[in-house]
Structure formats: C-alpha cells, structure tokens
Amino acid sequence: MSALSDEQLTLLDNLIYYVSNAPEGKIKLYKGRSIELIVEESKTVLDNYGGKGYPAMMKRKEWEQILNAIEKDKTLGSYTIQNYEKDSNTESDTYNFCAATFVSPDKSDVNVIFRGTNEDLSEWTDNGAGAILQIQSIRRRH
C-alpha cells in the first residue's frame, strides 16, 4: 500500500496526464528528477501549452490550481521519477499510453501512475465496463 494519500495519488495522476499531453520536449522527464522540478517546469509551460488546448478540456486556471496544490505538498515534491514510458507510435494499439514510476527519497515507497491510451469515448466505455465486470465477479464469490 502506498505511503501517499488518495489525494496525493490523484494529484500525481493529474500530473502525468498534464505532462504526457504537453507539447513534445516542453517538460523534461528523466530518472531522478523530482516532482518539485517537474511541477516548476510544468507551470512555465502553462502559457505556452500549444495550439491544441489543455488536456481533459480543462481551463488553464484549473491546471494551475492542480500544479499549485502539488507544489505546496513538500512530501509529494520530494518524490522522484524513476521511469517514464510513452507510446508515441500512432499505429500501435497502445498509442498515447504512458506511465511513470515515482519513488520516495528513501526508496521505500514506489508508485506507478499511468494514463490510458487515447482520448476517445470507446476507451472510457471499455474502462467503465471492465470496472463493473470486476465488481460483479467479486460479488459472486461472496
């Protein structure tokens, strides 16, 4: 179980979504880089995010609030990225899937945060159906 709270994990989930949709090369992700530095750089990109708009149809101010919340959390800021993968192959079944591993300073807490493949409704529908099917199968066992 993670040492981070659900709120902190949700903030990381938002961060990976924001970073993975940023224009290529705008936010640097590499092993050992702290969340604090990733957020600092992410905030500089807010005004120059790119012509396609902000992810998740959110407004600039909403992303700024999320980045500010992460920035204020010193525990979260001390975690570092251990690995980051993004599938940029447009022909791939997993196109646009990305995942990152964030590790606590003492390496005792490891969290894998990911976002799904693409933005289409079929992916979200599939995820929802999967969640319901899993719950139903668990109920049958009890």
Side-chain angles (χ1 to χ4, degrees), residues 111-134:
N111 298 276
V112 177
I113 306 295
F114 68 94
R115 65 164 280 225
T117 50
N118 57 28
E119 302 172 348
D120 69 10
L121 182 58
S122 66
E123 291 293 328
W124 287 98
T125 304
D126 180 58
N127 292 345
I132 291 169
L133 293 174
Q134 180 66 26

Side-chain angles (χ1 to χ4, degrees), residues 16-123:
I16 196 73
Y17 201 86
Y18 178 84
V19 168
S20 67
N21 282 291
E24 202 65 40
K26 292 278 186 179
I27 302 170
K28 296 170 192 68
L29 301 171
Y30 53 83
K31 185 176 181 175
R33 189 152 202 228
S34 71
I35 290 176
E36 178 181 26
L37 292 176
I38 294 168
V39 168
E40 189 177 294
E41 189 170 42
S42 294
K43 288 178 82 171
T44 66
V45 175
L46 273 171
D47 288 325
N48 192 19
Y49 198 81
K52 62 182 182 176
Y54 296 99
M57 300 178 68
M58 291 172 54
K59 294 179 172 48
R60 181 198 185 284
K61 183 175 180 141
E62 293 170 308
W63 283 111
E64 185 176 26
Q65 289 172 333
I66 290 168
L67 294 172
N68 286 339
I70 298 169
E71 185 177 52
K72 288 177 185 174
D73 187 325
K74 298 306 176 195
T75 299
L76 207 50
S78 69
Y79 276 63
T80 58
I81 193 166
Q82 192 66 27
N83 191 16
Y84 175 75
E85 297 291 331
K86 180 176 179 184
D87 185 354
S88 299
N89 178 358
T90 56
E91 302 300 314
S92 170
D93 288 340
T94 58
Y95 170 65
N96 222 14
F97 170 85
C98 64
T101 306
F102 294 101
V103 182
S104 64
D106 67 358
K107 308 229 184 297
S108 66
D109 188 40
V110 178
N111 298 276
V112 177
I113 306 295
F114 68 94
R115 65 164 280 225
T117 50
N118 57 28
E119 302 172 348
D120 69 10
L121 182 58
S122 66
E123 291 293 328

